[in-house]
Amino acid sequence: MLAELHQANPSTPLDKAAWGALLFEAYSHNYHLRWFEDVGRVAKRIRLLEELCAVRGARLTMEEVEELQKQAVSCGLPLDSGQAVELQELAECGAQWWKNASMVLDLPIIALEDLNKLVALPSPVPVFPSLLERIGSVRGRAREFEKQAKAILYPSVGRRTPIQEAMSLVSTTQKDFLIPAVQILAEVVPLAAHIEKICFDIINNRYSPEASHKPLFEELWDMRKTVQKKLWMFVIPSFNIVDQQLVRHDAWLEKLPWYRSPEPAMQGMLIVHDVEQNTRLEDDTPPSDPECTCTCALPVKVTVKKRAGVVQCNHCGARFHSKCIEGSCPFCDHHHWDGSLTKTRNFEYLDLSAIARAAPELTRNYSLVWKHAEIIITCVGRLTRAIDIFLAAVNERTIDPAPPHFIPQTRHFLRKLCKMQFSVKARADLPSYGLILCHIHPELETDLYVDTKACLENFSWEMMLQRLPPPTDYTIILELERFVPGSNQYPESSLAAKPPAPAPQPQSSAGSSTPIPREPSQTPSLQHLPN
């Protein structure tokens, strides 16, 4: 038959169909011819090569690769041929992929990156379908978690996620998978939860920072920046409440008269110090020394040889240290108290009280500035009550002139108000306490003079004074420098051993019991004592 086919068309090779028909017929008749077996192997090899060409570049399964390898053996394909080497490489790549996939799936926590690598293989690498299906199922779960995490981290407009929901996703995912988006979420969720806890404690007034922490309001400002930059995708209800109060706190600070003031005297701590020093309960009464007329409450010592550095009011006679006062006498000149003179602390006590009442709860509970304002209000309030009691006593007096302690007490309260440097009123429609005290000061003022006649007649060791009406004519002022008792029983050298005589208050007439009136003055002013 082969010869006949060849003779019929000797120039044309037999095609595969003819070879196949011949081989089939030969095998069906159970012919065992040596060259028929050779022809059969050649035909199988041809079919194998054609199949390899057809599947080149396509992804095969490991079963398909193994089947091709069996065909290569049965058709006697040389092991060193290119086709045999290619099949061997495919089998090795498939085995390595199976090994890697098995290792990944056996891990307690599987990385999504590893799953992606297993399914994103170069096309020639053969796979195991069942194993690939399992990998796809596991990877699908991991990608769903990744999708949820990214939806939280990069939400659509207006969407925010509660912290507990995000924490639940992180907890569930980290049991089985390692996903970058979930790792990022795991870093920011605890921070959001920490801020929520701190703010919840602040709202319920249970916050107690550790010693190493920053001041609370600095920490809150840092929290605000952190939430705006990193945690804006979460719903943090307690922080939102605290942040609203923080906005009100910042606005409240701006209203304080000393906030951000460049003046050193307007520092809150310094104002508190001055207020506390001048509103002490034990210091409500004036000094017992009549020479303590200066605003510093220290005695003003004047001797024959030492007059420099002392000034005296030409209206009330009060003496001051030059370094303690500028301008006019604060006891007599109402310009110190009616707002005519610009002061460094140019604010009203009533305004500060109104500002303090408007403070938000966060400020009241945790702000040091609020505590300063509260101290100022409390201390000044106590002082005003003491002044009110004194003014009531002045208004109810039934004797004229007023008792001698009224003037030192008036000056003492004015001294305190002068040191605090801000206006203090009982009500907005009333004048300041300083202006009221300044107005009653001249009314209480009475002149005390040395009664020289009584001293001489009684040989008194103490200086005897008499009260006289205000001056009505021009006068020459004589200052009493030293008091010598009217007796010759003791030498002058022994005076040092005797009780010291009190200083005159404030003027003296020499040689007569009749005062020499001073020249009246309309505008109180300070003048240096003559040498």
Side-chain angles (χ1 to χ4, degrees), residues 50-84:
E50 289 178 346
E51 189 174 350
L52 288 175
C53 290
V55 299
R56 180 169 292 169
R59 174 166 294 175
L60 302 175
T61 65
M62 279 298 295
E63 289 86 350
E64 293 172 339
V65 172
E66 291 174 353
E67 181 61 29
L68 291 174
Q69 284 185 313
K70 290 178 181 178
Q71 293 180 23
V73 172
S74 66
C75 71
L77 186 68
L79 295 178
D80 58 349
S81 64
Q83 292 80 5

Side-chain angles (χ1 to χ4, degrees), residues 142-355:
R143 292 192 65 184
E144 181 60 29
F145 288 138
E146 180 185 45
K147 180 180 177 181
Q148 295 179 28
K150 289 184 176 180
I152 294 174
L153 291 171
Y154 315 107
S156 57
V157 178
R159 185 180 184 277
R160 299 291 183 269
T161 304
I163 295 175
Q164 290 301 325
E165 181 180 332
M167 293 182 69
S168 176
L169 175 63
V170 170
S171 176
T172 303
T173 304
Q174 289 185 332
K175 291 178 181 178
D176 300 318
F177 299 104
L178 184 64
I179 303 172
V182 177
Q183 293 301 108
I184 296 174
L185 193 61
E187 293 176 1
V188 296
V189 167
L191 180 58
H194 176 68
I195 290 177
E196 172 67 12
K197 181 181 182 305
I198 289 177
C199 293
F200 182 81
D201 291 342
I202 289 173
I203 293 172
N204 293 278
N205 201 19
R206 297 202 302 257
Y207 177 75
S208 55
E210 299 177 1
S212 59
H213 283 186
K214 291 187 276 188
L216 174 61
F217 286 92
E218 289 186 20
E219 190 170 354
L220 289 178
W221 288 321
D222 290 345
M223 282 184 190
R224 176 188 286 170
K225 295 178 182 177
T226 301
V227 171
Q228 291 174 348
K229 291 182 179 179
K230 298 181 179 180
L231 309 177
W232 55 271
M233 69 289 296
F234 297 111
V235 176
I236 314 177
S238 296
F239 170 78
N240 294 336
I241 296 173
V242 172
D243 190 55
Q244 290 174 3
Q245 292 202 22
L246 184 61
V247 172
R248 293 177 57 197
H249 170 77
D250 294 341
W252 181 83
L253 287 178
E254 294 289 345
K255 296 178 182 178
L256 291 175
W258 61 80
Y259 187 65
R260 293 182 179 173
S261 174
E263 292 291 340
M266 285 293 283
Q267 295 179 10
M269 288 293 295
L270 184 57
I271 297 175
V272 171
H273 175 268
D274 290 347
V275 168
E276 288 181 327
Q277 291 298 314
N278 290 282
T279 57
R280 292 177 298 176
L281 178 63
E282 64 273 16
D283 192 39
D284 277 352
T285 56
S288 58
D289 190 343
E291 292 184 342
C292 295
T293 58
C294 184
T295 54
C296 67
L298 296 177
V300 183
K301 299 291 185 180
V302 179
T303 62
V304 177
K305 297 181 179 180
K306 186 178 179 181
R307 291 174 174 267
V310 176
V311 293
Q312 179 174 336
C313 175
N314 66 354
H315 186 269
C316 68
R319 293 175 177 175
F320 306 90
H321 302 108
S322 301
K323 63 182 180 180
C324 297
I325 193 169
E326 294 182 5
S328 56
C329 173
F331 303 149
C332 302
D333 190 358
H334 66 278
H335 293 99
H336 284 270
W337 310 103
D338 62 4
S340 301
L341 298 178
T342 302
K343 295 185 178 181
T344 305
R345 296 174 183 170
N346 191 23
F347 64 89
E348 297 277 349
Y349 166 73
L350 288 179
D351 294 340
L352 181 60
S353 299
I355 293 171

Side-chain angles (χ1 to χ4, degrees), residues 58 96 134 204 227 307 325 362-363 386 403 416 505 511 527:
Q96 185 63 43
R134 182 184 169 192
N204 293 278
V227 171
R307 291 174 174 267
I325 193 169
L362 178 69
T363 306
K416 291 174 175 289
Q505 176 74 19
Q527 59 186 13

Side-chain angles (χ1 to χ4, degrees), residues 513-524:
S513 62
T514 304
I516 303 176
R518 295 170 294 182
E519 180 180 359
S521 174
Q522 299 299 325
T523 304

